[in-house]
Each structure stands twice: as C-alpha cells, then as structure tokens.
Amino acid sequence: MTNLLLISAFFLSGLLGIIVIPNILLVSHKKKLFDIPDARKVHNTPVPRLGGLAFFPAILITVFVIDAIGMFPIFGMEIRDQIETQTFLFLFAGMTILYLTGEVDDLVGLGYRYKFIIQTIAAVLIVLSGTYMHSFAGLFGIEEVPAWLGIAASIFIIIYITNAINLIDGIDGLASGLSIISLLTLTALLIMHSSFTYILLAIATLGILCVFWFYNVFGNARKGHKLFMGDTGSLTLGFILSFLVLHICQADNTASAVTNNWKIIVALSSLLVPLFDVVRVSLHRIRKHRNPFLPDKNHIHHKLMRAGMTRVRSVLITIIAIDVFFIVFNAVLADKINSTILLLIDITIYTAIHIVINYFIRKNNGGPSYIPVEELAKSEPELAKELGLDKTQGVILNDQSVILNDSEESDSSVILNVSEESDSSVILNGSEESEKDK
C-alpha cells in the first residue's frame, strides 16, 4: 500500500505540473515576462523564466494530500511523531521564504547579498528542527562531531548546495537534469531506511521536475512552449536537495558506521558536479581578481561550448554522464577506501577533465571566460550600483562616466569602455537598454 501511495504522489505532482506550467507560459507571454538574452546567456530568444513557480505549490499539495490519505487506517501507516512534524514545518517555512525570494529576483531582480542573507535564515530554520550533520563520514579522519560543529557545517552545506543548483542552471535541462539524477539517488538511499514522508517529498519533487524538464528541453521557444525555472525554481530545488542530503547524513542507529558513511558519500556524490563547479569557478574568479559572486562564462557548460560543443544537448548529455560516473564510481569504492582518499581521487579526476577541456578551448580558440563589467551591470543591479550606474536615469555617475541616452524611443548609441582587461570599446544601443529596463 505504501508503494501505491508513492506512485500516486509521482503522478499527482506530474499532473499538477501539466496543469500549471501551460498557464505560466500563457501569463508570461501575455505580460511579456521573459528572460532576455545577454552577454553571459546561451539562449538567443526571449524565454519565460517563471517555470519554477510551479514547483513549490505542486510539491506542497502532493505531500499534504498523499500524506493525509496515508493516515487512513486502510493504509496502515504509522502516525508520525512530533519531531518529524516539527521538521517539516520548519522545512516548508524555509521553502516559502526562498520561493518568495526567487519570485522577487525573477520579476525585478535581487542582489546576491540579500539572497545570501535570506538563504542563511532558511538554513537556520532547518537546523532548528534538529536536522544537521552528526558525522563527517571519516573525512580527514573525523567521524562523530559535536553539535555546534555539525550545525555550522549543516548551515554551510544548505547554502552551498542551494547556490550550486542555482549557478549550474545555465543551459536547457542541466539544473533540472542533474537534480533528477540526484533525486533518484537520494530516493534509493531513503528507501533503504527512512520514514515515508521523506521519500514522499523526494518523489513529489521528482514528479513536477520531470514535467518541467520536458518543457525546458523539448519546448519550442519560437512557438512559446519553452520556459526556464528561474531563481524561484533553482532555489526551491537546491533547498529540498540539501534537506534530503542532511537527513541522510544523520546517523542511522540501526546501521553500522560503514553503512552510514557509505550513504553520506553517495548522497553527496549525487551533487558532485555542481558542487565542484562552484568551487572551481569561485577560485578562478578570485585568481583573476574578480568578485567571486558575479557571473562569468567559466562554468563547465560554458567551457564545453567554448571547447567546440556547439549543440546544447551534447553538452547536457556530457555533464550528466560525468555526474552519473561519479555516483557509480563513489558508490563502488565508498566502503573500500578512506573517504579522504576518495575525495582526492574525485578532485584529481575532475581536474583532469578540465585540463582536457582547456586543451580543446585553446585548440578551438574558444575565447575568454570573462564578461565586460559594463555588460554584467545591465543584469546585475548591485554591480551597477558599485559602478555608479543609475539604471533608472541611464547615467553613470562616477568620474569615468559618460551619459547614456535615457530616451526609450531614441536610436542613438553611446560608447562604453569594455573592462579593465581591454582597451577596446563596444557600442551599446541606447534604445535596447531602455527596452530591457521596461
């Protein structure tokens, strides 16, 4: 009977996606709520970016309805205890905060500092429920950890995973595809030993995500059938994945230490590609004396395209194949070798992959990874503020400034200096700037 409920959850969540997503597309096109192509984006056609609006409601409705049905005596489900109820109340409170934050960012834009603060608040809500790491799975020789260290590490992991999913969302199907692979892995681990509600959460998320993935990958943008998840979707997904990973990382008293460590390693391995990519990209930006929180074209999908992969789906398949490789590789070796050594092997393999990619980038003359700061300022409000660019008035206020044309109907252009790395300049059309700000 439990299996029947879980199967029903998958289809109910998917059905809600089939109902809601077309209506999101309809509203987005009527109100012209598009993700406009710019210097750092792969797509060249305006696409609605509000697909993530469907995630939280579909997941919430599915979990509540199926969980409530499961309480009927016919299904023989145990009534959950107070601690589990409290855990999920904190989870949904955090999800609500991030869902609303993502909506604001998708509609009007929100600086990375504000998003970081809100993510921290949401992470604190999770650890308040008692969901935090109790063990480091033997990493660096550390097994059991005190509560204060486990709580601090858990807050970091929640923010880390949430941002990793958010930042890897750069081409069609990538963030959702990697999340589907991770959810399948986490569901398998949860089935080994966990309560019904945690499995239900994973299955409900999987249901809506599969429907979205179909629209995102196979939808025709010119016919109005394609949409992106936006920050609303990526923040919601990252938060759920981090919660499930932390739950698995909590020690299972009925299993051996070896089994617990194996589950922790496999759970984290399901997200290894986005987690490694965040670290590599951040270090690259710091090495180039750039703000690590501002975007560039150095994520793994950008690099593969610069290396010569012109088809987005080829890039998608390649990255998913790398992710699956790490899951299988670590699952086979996790109970055979030390976790620290395994991590070093993973880092070595991942580094070798990028050495090969870099070789083909040079061979293919794939171009630089940076984006001119003035181009970034058009889509990054905090950077525009740091540069002294008032987007509402169309004026750069600092000493290096020139006046931008603030007329929405003007076809005149203005020349801006590209960046500190180049003496060349580019021409930005004033009317296009104004049109984007509307």
Side-chain angles (χ1 to χ4, degrees):
M1 297 297 282
T2 300
N3 292 337
L4 177 62
L5 287 174
L6 293 174
I7 294 171
S8 300
F10 178 83
F11 285 106
L12 174 59
S13 181
L15 177 63
L16 290 171
I18 292 171
I19 295 171
V20 174
I21 288 177
N23 285 283
I24 291 175
L25 281 168
L26 180 64
V27 172
S28 296
H29 282 279
K30 281 188 175 181
K31 300 298 182 181
K32 302 186 184 304
L33 302 174
F34 298 127
D35 185 18
I36 306 299
D38 62 24
R40 67 185 175 89
K41 294 173 182 174
V42 175
H43 65 287
N44 51 25
T45 303
V47 175
R49 60 178 300 176
L50 298 178
L53 289 178
F55 291 4
F56 184 43
I59 294 168
L60 198 66
I61 292 171
T62 301
V63 170
F64 283 179
V65 169
I66 299 299
D67 210 20
I69 291 174
M71 292 181 183
F72 286 118
I74 188 175
F75 291 100
M77 300 288 293
E78 294 182 1
I79 303 298
R80 75 184 51 77
D81 57 27
Q82 182 179 348
I83 295 177
E84 186 173 307
T85 301
Q86 183 187 53
T87 298
F88 275 86
L89 289 175
F90 276 118
L91 169 69
F92 289 129
M95 284 176 63
T96 303
I97 294 171
L98 289 180
Y99 178 77
L100 295 175
T101 301
E103 283 190 61
V104 172
D105 192 34
D106 289 336
L107 292 173
V108 298
L110 191 65
Y112 64 85
R113 292 184 180 91
Y114 298 105
K115 287 191 283 188
F116 179 78
I117 292 171
I118 294 169
Q119 288 169 11
T120 303
I121 294 171
V124 170
L125 289 176
I126 292 296
V127 298
L128 280 176
S129 70
T131 303
Y132 58 85
M133 295 190 72
H134 295 165
S135 170
F136 282 2
L139 187 64
F140 307 122
I142 304 173
E143 293 286 349
E144 296 295 319
V145 295
W148 66 269
L149 182 56
I151 289 172
S154 298
I155 292 174
F156 171 78
I157 287 174
I158 293 169
I159 297 172
Y160 185 16
I161 293 177
T162 301
N163 280 285
I165 298 300
N166 180 246
L167 295 174
I168 204 71
D169 185 24
I171 62 171
D172 294 344
L174 183 54
S176 52
L178 290 174
S179 296
I180 287 172
I181 298 298
S182 179
L183 283 167
L184 288 170
T185 305
L186 296 175
T187 300
L189 294 173
L190 289 167
I191 290 174
M192 291 175 62
H193 183 81
S194 188
S195 71
F196 171 79
T197 314
Y198 291 93
I199 304 171
L200 175 60
L201 174 64
I203 295 292
T205 307
L206 195 58
I208 181 65
L209 199 53
C210 287
V211 175
F212 167 82
W213 189 84
F214 180 84
Y215 274 94
N216 184 225
V217 174
F218 299 107
N220 189 320
R222 300 187 185 279
K223 293 182 180 180
H225 297 159
K226 179 185 287 292
L227 80 170
F228 299 151
M229 69 170 68
D231 275 22
T232 309
S234 60
L235 292 176
T236 302
L237 271 184
F239 193 64
I240 292 173
L241 289 170
S242 63
F243 171 76
L244 293 175
V245 167
L246 280 181
H247 174 69
I248 291 171
C249 287
Q250 291 183 299
D252 178 5
N253 295 327
T254 64
S256 66
V258 173
T259 301
N260 283 329
N261 290 349
W262 181 85
K263 289 195 295 184
I264 292 172
I265 292 170
V266 175
L268 291 171
S269 298
S270 70
L271 294 165
L272 211 59
V273 169
L275 293 179
F276 276 2
D277 196 58
V278 169
V279 174
R280 184 191 57 78
V281 169
S282 298
L283 291 175
H284 175 83
R285 293 170 185 171
I286 292 170
R287 185 165 59 88
K288 295 293 183 180
H289 307 291
R290 293 177 174 273
N291 189 328
F293 297 101
L294 292 178
D296 55 20
K297 299 179 73 173
N298 196 41
H299 287 284
I300 186 170
H301 48 277
H302 291 131
K303 291 184 67 175
L304 286 170
M305 297 184 77
R306 288 162 53 211
M309 280 193 182
T310 56
R311 292 180 60 85
V312 172
R313 288 185 190 174
S314 298
V315 176
L316 171 64
I317 293 171
T318 301
I319 297 174
I320 287 180
I322 294 171
D323 189 58
V324 172
F325 165 78
F326 277 117
I327 295 172
V328 175
F329 180 80
N330 289 342
V332 171
L333 295 180
D335 58 350
K336 296 179 176 61
I337 63 176
N338 180 273
S339 57
T340 305
I341 296 175
L342 184 57
L343 175 61
L344 292 175
I345 294 173
D346 288 340
I347 293 173
T348 302
I349 294 173
Y350 192 75
T351 303
I353 290 171
H354 279 276
I355 290 173
V356 174
I357 295 173
N358 290 340
Y359 167 78
F360 282 102
I361 289 175
R362 290 190 298 270
K363 184 178 179 180
N364 198 53
N365 193 22
S369 62
Y370 67 85
I371 303 172
V373 290
E374 287 80 9
E375 287 289 321
L376 282 179
K378 293 194 292 184
S379 58
E380 297 292 332
E382 292 204 359
L383 178 59
K385 185 177 179 180
E386 290 176 7
L387 294 175
L389 176 61
D390 186 338
K391 293 184 69 177
T392 59
Q393 297 179 2
V395 179
I396 296 181
L397 301 174
N398 59 21
D399 292 337
Q400 302 173 354
S401 66
V402 291
I403 298 177
L404 293 174
N405 192 315
D406 60 350
S407 169
E408 294 183 0
E409 299 179 355
S410 172
D411 291 330
S412 61
S413 301
V414 59
I415 298 178
L416 286 177
N417 188 289
V418 177
S419 74
E420 68 272 16
E421 297 187 3
S422 172
D423 294 330
S424 60
S425 58
V426 292
I427 297 178
L428 301 178
N429 187 288
S431 62
E432 289 178 353
E433 274 289 291
S434 299
E435 187 68 27
K436 182 179 176 183
D437 291 341
K438 284 164 59 175

